[in-house]
C-alpha cells in the first residue's frame, strides 16, 4: 500500500491530522511462496499479493516520526528473535530518542519458520531467545555500563550513553495466543496484543492467565493493557468496522488498531476509509 517515500510521509501526517493516536508497522522479512509453517489466516494467495512489498519497520517508524509531532508508534508485531539483539537495542533506543519518547514496542515470534531457517536460527528455541532479548533490553535501557550473559547472548561490560527518553525504555507489548505467551505477558509486558477474531471466551481465559502471572510476579494485574487489532476484510464497509470497534471497546480493551493492508491497495483509499471511521465513531470508547 505504501508505494513510495512520499506516501509514507503523507499517510503518517494525515492520520495524525485525523486524530488517530498511534501508527503501527508490521515485520515480515520475506514472504515464502510455500511456507513451512501454517498460515494463520484464510487466504494465503491474498496475503502473498498484499504483503510481499516488505519495508523495514524500524526505518518506516523513523520516517514517520520525522514528519509527525504527537502520534505514538508501535509494531504488530516486531519479530524480536529474528533481530540481532545489540543492534535492535541501539535502534529502538535511537527511535525513542528521535521521536521524543513516542515509541512502544510490540514483540512477537513470527509464524514463518522459513525466516528462522534463512537466518540460521533454531525455530524450537524462539521463545527462549525472546525472553533473553527482553532481559537484555531491560539491561540496556536501565544500566550503564551494560553487561549481559545468557545461553543465547553475551555482552561484556560496555559504555552505552544514549538513553531512551522514556524512563526504563519504551513500553513493551507482547503478542501470542497460548498460555505460555500470556504467562510471559503477565511477567514482563505492559500489555497484550490480540486480534478481535479470537473467540471471546478463549481470549478471556488467556487474559486471566496474564493477570494471574502478573500477580505472581509481584506486578499489578490492573496495570496490564490490551490492544486489539481489527483486520479490515475485502469489501467490508465502514459501518461493519464500527460495529467491531464498539465490541472491542465493550470488552474493556485499552486500544484498537485498524489494519487496512489486506483489504485496500492504495494510500488515498485507506485514508478515506480512516477518515470515515473516525468521523462516524469519534474517539476511542
Amino acid at each position: 500500500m505504501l508505494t513510495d517515500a512520499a506516501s509514507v510521509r503523507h499517510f503518517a501526517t494525515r492520520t495524525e491530522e485525523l486524530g488517530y493516536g498511534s501508527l503501527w508497522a508490521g515485520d515480515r522479512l520475506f514472504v515464502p511462496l510455500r511456507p513451512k509453517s501454517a498460515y494463520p489466516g484464510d487466504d494465503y494467495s491474498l496475503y502473498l499479493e498484499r504483503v510481499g512489498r516488505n519495508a523495514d519497520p524500524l526505518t518506516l517508524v523513523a520516517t514517520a516520526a520525522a514528519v509527525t509531532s504527537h502520534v505514538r508508534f508501535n509494531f504488530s508485531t516486531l519479530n524480536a528473535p529474528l533481530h540481532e539483539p545489540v543492534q535492535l537495542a541501539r535502534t529502538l533506543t535511537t527511535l525513542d530518542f528521535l521521536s521524543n519518547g513516542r515509541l512502544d514496542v510490540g514483540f512477537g515470534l513470527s509464524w514463518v519458520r522459513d525466516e528462522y531457517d534463512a537466518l540460521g536460527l533454531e525455530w524450537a528455541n524462539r521463545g527462549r531467545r525472546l525472553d533473553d532479548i527482553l532481559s537484555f533490553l531491560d539491561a540496556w535501557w536501565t544500566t550503564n555500563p551494560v553487561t549481559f550473559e545468557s545461553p543465547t547472548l553475551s555482552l561484556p561490560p560496555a559504555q552505552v550513553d544514549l538513553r531512551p527518553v522514556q524512563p526504563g525504555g519504551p513500553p513493551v507489548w507482547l503478542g501470542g495466543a497460548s498460555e505460555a505467551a500470556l504467562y510471559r505477558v503477565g511477567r514482563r509486558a505492559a500489555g497484550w496484543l490480540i486480534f478481535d477474531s479470537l473467540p471471546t471466551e478463549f481470549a478471556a481465559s488467556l487474559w486471566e492467565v496474564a493477570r494471574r502471572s502478573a500477580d505472581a510476579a509481584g506486578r499489578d494485574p490492573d496495570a496490564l493493557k490490551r490492544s486489539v487489532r481489527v483486520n479490515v476484510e475485502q469489501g467490508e464497509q465502514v459501518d461493519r468496522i464500527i460495529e467491531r470497534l464498539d465490541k472491542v471497546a465493550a470488552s474493556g480493551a485499552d486500544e484498537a488498531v485498524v489494519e487496512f493492508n489486506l483489504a485496500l491497495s492504495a494510500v488515498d483509499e485507506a485514508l478515506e476509509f480512516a477518515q470515515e471511521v473516525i468521523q462516524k465513531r469519534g474517539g476511542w470508547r
Side-chain angles (χ1 to χ4, degrees), residues 125-141:
N125 198 36
R126 62 195 187 281
R128 175 59 185 271
R129 185 170 168 85
L130 173 59
D131 280 327
D132 282 352
I133 288 174
L134 293 176
S135 296
F136 176 69
L137 287 174
D138 181 64
W140 187 277
W141 288 332

Side-chain angles (χ1 to χ4, degrees), residues 138-216:
D138 181 64
W140 187 277
W141 288 332
T142 60
T143 63
N144 190 22
V146 179
T147 185
F148 191 81
E149 189 69 39
S150 80
T152 66
L153 173 62
S154 178
L155 180 74
Q159 190 76 12
V160 180
D161 290 337
L162 182 66
R163 299 284 85 191
V165 172
Q166 300 177 89
V172 171
W173 298 68
L174 295 173
S178 67
E179 288 198 6
L182 272 295
Y183 178 71
R184 184 183 288 115
V185 169
R187 287 185 299 117
R188 316 205 62 165
W192 180 28
L193 303 177
I194 179 179
F195 291 85
D196 76 325
S197 57
L198 204 63
T200 302
E201 291 185 3
F202 181 54
S205 67
L206 289 177
W207 186 235
E208 284 305 310
V209 171
R211 288 180 56 83
R212 290 195 301 270
S213 175
D215 186 61

Side-chain angles (χ1 to χ4, degrees), residues 34-283:
R34 292 175 293 277
K36 296 176 182 177
S37 43
Y39 173 57
D42 297 324
D43 188 350
Y44 191 68
S45 62
L46 176 62
Y47 187 82
L48 276 173
E49 176 187 335
R50 294 295 175 88
V51 187
R53 192 181 181 91
N54 296 306
D56 174 64
L58 299 165
T59 308
L60 283 176
V61 167
T63 301
V67 296
T68 55
S69 61
H70 58 268
V71 70
R72 292 190 64 84
F73 299 95
N74 207 332
F75 303 89
S76 182
T77 55
L78 193 65
N79 298 315
L82 301 176
H83 293 261
E84 195 286 314
V86 177
Q87 184 65 58
L88 178 65
R90 184 181 69 163
T91 302
L92 290 174
T93 305
T94 303
L95 287 177
D96 189 70
F97 173 73
L98 293 177
S99 68
N100 196 29
R102 291 187 284 140
L103 185 70
D104 288 60
V105 185
F107 284 135
L109 293 174
S110 173
W111 64 269
V112 183
R113 180 169 183 163
D114 307 69
E115 293 179 320
Y116 284 80
D117 292 346
L119 296 177
L121 298 171
E122 294 183 21
W123 172 254
N125 198 36
R126 62 195 187 281
R128 175 59 185 271
R129 185 170 168 85
L130 173 59
D131 280 327
D132 282 352
I133 288 174
L134 293 176
S135 296
F136 176 69
L137 287 174
D138 181 64
W140 187 277
W141 288 332
T142 60
T143 63
N144 190 22
V146 179
T147 185
F148 191 81
E149 189 69 39
S150 80
T152 66
L153 173 62
S154 178
L155 180 74
Q159 190 76 12
V160 180
D161 290 337
L162 182 66
R163 299 284 85 191
V165 172
Q166 300 177 89
V172 171
W173 298 68
L174 295 173
S178 67
E179 288 198 6
L182 272 295
Y183 178 71
R184 184 183 288 115
V185 169
R187 287 185 299 117
R188 316 205 62 165
W192 180 28
L193 303 177
I194 179 179
F195 291 85
D196 76 325
S197 57
L198 204 63
T200 302
E201 291 185 3
F202 181 54
S205 67
L206 289 177
W207 186 235
E208 284 305 310
V209 171
R211 288 180 56 83
R212 290 195 301 270
S213 175
D215 186 61
R219 306 178 73 207
D220 180 5
D222 293 333
L224 289 177
K225 297 181 179 181
R226 284 173 292 170
S227 180
V228 182
R229 180 165 151 179
V230 176
N231 287 337
V232 181
E233 300 175 2
Q234 280 192 308
E236 196 167 15
Q237 299 301 306
V238 169
D239 288 345
R240 171 57 182 154
I241 295 301
I242 291 174
E243 289 177 7
R244 292 171 67 184
L245 290 172
D246 287 343
K247 184 177 179 181
V248 170
S251 74
D254 298 276
E255 185 177 16
V257 182
V258 181
E259 165 62 70
F260 306 108
N261 204 39
L262 294 180
L264 306 173
S265 58
V267 168
D268 288 342
E269 185 182 12
L271 287 173
E272 288 177 7
F273 196 97
Q275 181 172 348
E276 189 175 355
V277 168
I278 204 165
Q279 286 179 341
K280 284 190 173 183
R281 193 181 189 281

